[in-house]
Amino acid sequence: MEQLASDKLPTHLAIIMDGNGRWAQQRMLKRIVGHQRGAETVKMMVKQASQLGIKYLTLFAFSSENWLRPAVEVRALMTLLKKYIRQETARMMQKNIRYNIIGNRSELPDDVNQTLDEAIRITSGNTGMVLTLALSYGGRQELSRAAARAARDVQAGLLAADDITVDVFGRYLDTGGLPDPDFLIRTSGEMRISNFLLWQLAYTELYFTDTNWPDFTINEFHKALADFQSRERRFGKTSDQLSTRN
Ligand code: FPP
């Protein structure tokens, strides 16, 4: 296992959990079996991240574009999600984890929204890791919803157009209140952002692995974190400026 410096972990880790379908197809299994195995990896990652002291974990669980998949797969994913939330809420309480959702919740089925509301309510007082699930989420959709919200506030006289700075606009996003991700992991070999957190990933360190999400292990996670710890984050400054804290 890699040696990790505990003072240099990402505060906010975001993950694109890709490759469930291919994992299943390679084994002549139905795609949903890949998602079920993917949910097991989610359990492991939530446990590991909270044990390590990561403050924010954000998982891309269902994209705006995923609605275009065959209805049977969409239904199965929604059922799996409900089951996961119901089963895991007790563990979230034990581990002091709080649920948070980003995405267009109005597109989710009522029963899923009820399950989410319940889990959010029950865990709302927890002060440990914030587990954000991106559901019916797309970065462009989030940005256009935020622009519409800000425009409504301008119309209502609550906000001046000239006051819309980066910080102010950031608060209109679904992620308002969350820090930007420090580290993004994408599994299964695709080197794309796929409409995930377009605004928030501006300075995020990106990590890609060929491993499919159901095969992603604790060892791989530690390898990814060790890679993160070896990087120099300059945020547009020079190395010298960083070392002299200018
Ligand atoms: C991408 O794999 C994964 C998804 C679209 C769904 C992710 C869902 C889970 C990991 C399980 C449920 C989530 C939670 C939070 C319990 P893919 O189907 O696009 O894989 P492919 O690219 O190989 O087809």
Side-chain angles (χ1 to χ4, degrees), residues 93 96 98 120-128:
M93 295 310 289
N96 196 21
R98 181 158 65 86
I120 290 168
R121 186 183 60 74
I122 295 172
T123 63
S124 62
N126 290 349
T127 53

Side-chain angles (χ1 to χ4, degrees), residues 188-205:
S188 93
E190 314 288 359
M191 305 237 199
R192 308 188 270 274
I193 298 302
S194 298
N195 205 15
F196 191 41
L197 301 174
L198 293 181
W199 170 281
Q200 299 86 340
L201 293 176
Y203 285 99
T204 303
E205 296 293 329

Side-chain angles (χ1 to χ4, degrees), residues 14-24 26 31 34-35 37-38 41-42 59-63 66 69 73 184-194 196 207-216:
I15 307 184
I16 301 179
M17 313 181 286
D18 198 9
N20 294 345
R22 272 162 288 167
W23 181 93
Q26 283 159 11
R31 292 176 59 83
H35 295 312
R37 283 296 295 263
T41 309
V42 171
L59 304 176
F60 202 1
F62 193 88
S63 75
N66 285 155
R69 293 195 174 193
E73 184 173 345
L184 171 84
I185 297 175
R186 180 172 188 152
T187 56
S188 93
E190 314 288 359
M191 305 237 199
R192 308 188 270 274
I193 298 302
S194 298
F196 191 41
Y207 181 90
F208 300 97
T209 169
D210 286 338
T211 306
N212 288 323
W213 180 248
D215 282 335
F216 195 73

Side-chain angles (χ1 to χ4, degrees), residues 9-55:
L9 287 166
T11 301
H12 185 171
L13 168 66
I15 307 184
I16 301 179
M17 313 181 286
D18 198 9
N20 294 345
R22 272 162 288 167
W23 181 93
Q25 274 156 0
Q26 283 159 11
R27 290 161 180 78
M28 316 290 261
L29 297 167
K30 292 208 170 99
R31 292 176 59 83
I32 187 61
V33 181
H35 295 312
Q36 284 162 351
R37 283 296 295 263
E40 294 304 313
T41 309
V42 171
K43 280 185 204 165
M44 178 279 284
M45 279 300 300
V46 169
K47 186 172 166 204
Q48 286 299 313
S50 90
Q51 264 174 12
L52 283 168
I54 287 173
K55 299 270 190 310

